[in-house]
Amino acid sequence: STRKESSAASDVYKRQALSDLDVPRYARKPAAMLMNQSSEAVHVCVFDGQNVVSIDRHEMSESNNEIIRLEREPAYCTGTGKAILAALPEDTARTQLTNDPERYTSNTITDPELLMDELSKTRSRGYSIDNEERQYGIRCVGAAIRHRNKVVGAISLTGPKERFSDDRITVLADLIMATAERISLSIEKGGAQMTISKAVSYTHLRA
């Protein structure tokens, strides 16, 4: 039963993530601006129901950030993933740790209750933190991107732990949340325009 529920939830959010909202188009300019503001790597991801999928990436020189570069990563141990999970219904988020999750570092959270506590903190403060949970030496801060009050993706800043002190993370968090909000508003505006355009086209065809 749990597996079926997880599969159903996965299908729902896969359709949502891979919708025609065109998140990369709306995220590209704000993400590039964020990279210039922070001098750190910016990743934009969507959720396929189990993993986060990279759809846009802005990085400084390769020597500036030694980061794992993968197109698809687990949601439970990444900045974008935890931002997305925190914005999902609790039951859906909980299914992410039902199949013996891999512990990538000693900081990876694999206990379901500890993860739910972490997601609750993320929800309260408005941003996620990856504290060397996916890769040793790398920390991330992320925020969810929304459309019509539903999460459709997330954006994160990623860099070496030496540059991501707790004090600096609070500063970066303000930047990441403002950028996520800017992208969300752009998607909302673009979605409304798309709806109007379709309505006009339909009216024209009916005339």
Side-chain angles (χ1 to χ4, degrees), residues 101-128:
E102 183 174 350
R103 183 181 294 276
Y104 295 97
T105 75
S106 58
N107 286 354
T108 306
I109 302 173
T110 58
D111 180 275
E113 295 310 315
L114 292 179
L115 178 66
M116 298 313 295
D117 287 344
E118 175 70 10
L119 296 182
S120 178
K121 293 175 184 176
T122 297
R123 209 172 292 117
S124 296
R125 66 189 171 219
Y127 62 91
S128 64

Side-chain angles (χ1 to χ4, degrees), residues 11-201:
D11 290 342
V12 168
Y13 287 100
K14 185 180 296 184
R15 289 195 298 272
Q16 180 181 13
L18 302 180
S19 69
D20 61 355
L21 291 175
D22 198 3
V23 176
R25 178 161 69 94
Y26 296 111
R28 192 163 294 118
K29 287 184 178 179
M33 184 183 301
L34 178 62
M35 181 193 69
N36 290 328
Q37 289 176 318
S38 64
S39 297
E40 302 295 352
V42 178
H43 293 167
V44 180
C45 298
V46 294
F47 185 52
D48 71 0
Q50 183 175 7
N51 299 296
V52 286
V53 182
S54 178
I55 58 172
D56 196 22
R57 181 184 293 118
H58 299 263
E59 298 183 0
M60 306 299 289
S61 63
E62 290 190 8
S63 61
N64 204 36
N65 267 315
E66 295 301 323
I67 302 164
I68 286 179
R69 291 173 176 81
L70 298 177
E71 296 301 318
R72 190 180 300 269
E73 297 188 279
Y76 63 90
C77 60
T78 56
T80 51
K82 290 202 291 183
I84 290 171
L85 292 179
L88 292 175
E90 185 174 322
D91 288 346
T92 303
R94 192 179 289 276
T95 63
Q96 297 304 303
L97 282 182
T98 57
N99 296 317
D100 191 25
E102 183 174 350
R103 183 181 294 276
Y104 295 97
T105 75
S106 58
N107 286 354
T108 306
I109 302 173
T110 58
D111 180 275
E113 295 310 315
L114 292 179
L115 178 66
M116 298 313 295
D117 287 344
E118 175 70 10
L119 296 182
S120 178
K121 293 175 184 176
T122 297
R123 209 172 292 117
S124 296
R125 66 189 171 219
Y127 62 91
S128 64
I129 297 174
D130 166 5
N131 184 28
E132 300 183 75
E133 295 163 48
R134 177 66 179 90
Q135 181 182 1
Y136 281 117
I138 298 297
R139 300 186 82 188
C140 308
V141 56
I145 297 169
R146 293 177 168 83
H147 175 61
R148 296 179 180 174
N149 296 320
K150 292 183 179 180
V151 61
V152 294
I155 185 169
S156 71
L157 282 166
T158 304
K161 65 178 181 180
E162 291 80 10
R163 292 204 302 268
F164 276 60
S165 65
D166 290 344
D167 287 342
R168 186 166 184 244
I169 278 181
T170 60
V171 175
L172 295 176
D174 288 338
L175 291 176
I176 201 81
M177 288 189 292
T179 302
E181 178 66 16
R182 189 175 302 117
I183 296 169
S184 298
L185 289 174
S186 294
I187 292 173
E188 196 72 33
K189 183 179 178 181
Q193 290 176 339
M194 183 172 63
T195 300
I196 292 171
S197 176
K198 286 181 178 178
V200 171
S201 297

